[in-house]
Amino acid sequence: MDRPKSARKTPHDRPVCWENDFSINNLDENDFLNNAPPADRGMKGFGNWRNHIPDELIPGDEFAEWVSRDHYPIPAAADRENYMPDSDTGYWMSGLGDFLKVMKSARECDIAVGSVLDFGCSTGRVTRHFCIQENIPDVWGTDLNQRHIRWLSRFMPRNLKPVFNSAMPTLPLSDQSVDVICAFSVFTHIDTFETAWLAELRRILKPGGLCYLTVHNEDTWSSLGAIDESNRLLSSMIGTGKFTMDMLQGPMPGERLVYRFSEIGPYRAQVFHSNAYLENTWGRFFDIEDILPLYHHRQSVVVMKKPSMRLGIFGKAAA
């Protein structure tokens, strides 16, 4: 039996950009405006690099070699998620510093890095260094911004596999397929499906592999009380009407704090986690090796490993 005419759906009933409810820039086809590669700038553009990266991460004169290897363009400020919009060299060095920190954690965990997933990679601020500096053969970069993935596909080395994903907790990567997963400023924004995403990352990570994720925790909360209200994170919090500077002088309220600065699209929230919450909830999916306070600007880093395989009661491997 036919439905009443008033109940029938037509193509015009669907919003034109319905995909943007759970991903970003699906229909974007605008061209890119790139800036000069690091190698073309020479060391004159990196004169103050030692102020950005600790000496122990790059001993001796190694830095000049890292610069000379990178012949790939720097994305324009509009395409790099507000990282160092006024400084191309600062942007590049921030990615290098985070890359070196991940590799340091991998060495400390005795992990030989042959495959990496940069979850929420944007236009490759960190990802590019896995491809160029270490020439890791199997590098994956995923993001819910289609424009970022298009940029990576056009301009980054071929050992990178860029993948466009949605906010739904699934990735098209094989079980136990990567040695290291990193995510910068991603779980700081995942207000829903958090544990499903943790389970998905656990599925992809090899037994004994490293998971290196940044978070807002109590250390972040404490640091906010000492900064200017014009700070982007702080102003977004106060702008909701739920927070005051006086609140930030006290302890973080609750074990997990979520507030939304928008009701539109997947990028809409800031999330804070207490260390107790991380230990109790995230620690069910991974072995937490360390929580490094404010190791990524005002974010802390949770260093975790996936438990190695063990034999079940019938002799079969169990994760």
Side-chain angles (χ1 to χ4, degrees), residues 102 106 111-119 130 136-142 159-161 163 171-183 198-213 286 304-307:
V102 174
I111 296 170
V113 184
S115 52
V116 173
L117 165 63
D118 189 354
F119 176 52
F130 288 113
I136 293 171
D138 201 18
V139 180
W140 297 81
T142 66
N159 55 331
L160 173 63
K161 302 167 186 64
V163 175
L171 293 171
L173 276 73
S174 302
D175 294 357
Q176 302 179 18
S177 58
V178 298
D179 298 305
V180 172
I181 296 174
C182 61
L198 290 171
E200 181 69 350
L201 298 186
R202 177 188 165 102
R203 178 187 68 78
I204 293 165
L205 193 62
K206 293 179 182 178
L210 172 71
C211 207
Y212 184 104
L213 311 178
F286 301 95
M304 305 182 290
K305 290 181 72 174
K306 180 176 176 177

Side-chain angles (χ1 to χ4, degrees), residues 115-136:
S115 52
V116 173
L117 165 63
D118 189 354
F119 176 52
C121 64
S122 183
T123 40
R125 182 185 65 89
V126 180
T127 325
R128 67 189 297 137
H129 296 288
F130 288 113
C131 297
I132 297 165
Q133 308 299 353
E134 287 287 327
N135 196 28
I136 293 171

Side-chain angles (χ1 to χ4, degrees), residues 23-243:
S23 53
I24 301 172
N25 283 333
N26 284 270
L27 305 181
D28 176 75
E29 295 180 350
N30 294 320
D31 208 353
F32 300 101
L33 297 174
N34 293 326
N35 300 328
D40 291 1
R41 300 165 187 262
M43 284 303 294
K44 64 182 180 181
F46 295 87
N48 63 344
W49 69 268
R50 288 190 180 275
N51 296 330
H52 294 265
I53 303 174
D55 288 350
E56 63 268 19
L57 293 179
I58 310 181
D61 298 324
E62 226 174 319
F63 184 81
E65 296 180 20
W66 296 69
V67 172
S68 66
R69 283 191 199 123
D70 194 333
H71 294 273
Y72 297 87
I74 300 290
D79 285 318
R80 56 197 204 209
E81 298 286 353
N82 289 302
Y83 275 96
M84 303 283 186
D86 300 320
S87 173
D88 290 351
T89 55
Y91 166 83
W92 186 86
M93 285 187 289
S94 77
L96 178 65
D98 283 326
F99 154 75
L100 292 170
K101 290 175 181 179
V102 174
M103 295 301 291
K104 178 176 181 287
S105 289
R107 288 193 301 272
E108 291 172 348
C109 292
D110 297 319
I111 296 170
V113 184
S115 52
V116 173
L117 165 63
D118 189 354
F119 176 52
C121 64
S122 183
T123 40
R125 182 185 65 89
V126 180
T127 325
R128 67 189 297 137
H129 296 288
F130 288 113
C131 297
I132 297 165
Q133 308 299 353
E134 287 287 327
N135 196 28
I136 293 171
D138 201 18
V139 180
W140 297 81
T142 66
D143 202 275
L144 51 66
N145 189 325
Q146 187 261 2
R147 181 172 172 84
H148 293 340
I149 295 304
R150 197 159 58 84
W151 191 93
L152 295 170
S153 298
R154 186 179 299 183
F155 299 110
M156 285 288 98
R158 292 186 66 83
N159 55 331
L160 173 63
K161 302 167 186 64
V163 175
F164 178 45
N165 65 275
S166 75
M168 301 298 104
T170 181
L171 293 171
L173 276 73
S174 302
D175 294 357
Q176 302 179 18
S177 58
V178 298
D179 298 305
V180 172
I181 296 174
C182 61
F184 296 90
S185 300
V186 176
F187 280 88
T188 53
H189 301 297
I190 296 179
D191 57 337
T192 54
F193 308 120
E194 177 188 283
T195 52
W197 273 118
L198 290 171
E200 181 69 350
L201 298 186
R202 177 188 165 102
R203 178 187 68 78
I204 293 165
L205 193 62
K206 293 179 182 178
L210 172 71
C211 207
Y212 184 104
L213 311 178
T214 72
V215 296
H216 296 140
N217 68 345
E218 294 106 324
D219 299 292
T220 306
W221 182 270
S222 297
S223 74
L224 294 178
I227 62 177
D228 189 87
E229 290 185 37
S230 63
N231 173 270
R232 190 162 62 97
L233 172 60
L234 192 54
S235 63
S236 73
M237 295 174 67
I238 294 174
T240 64
K242 298 179 180 178
F243 301 93

Side-chain angles (χ1 to χ4, degrees), residues 1-22:
M1 180 177 177
D2 289 340
R3 290 182 297 169
K5 194 171 184 177
S6 60
R8 295 176 189 168
K9 294 290 184 180
T10 71
H12 301 292
D13 292 320
R14 297 188 64 83
V16 174
C17 296
W18 62 269
E19 305 95 332
N20 285 356
D21 287 339
F22 49 83

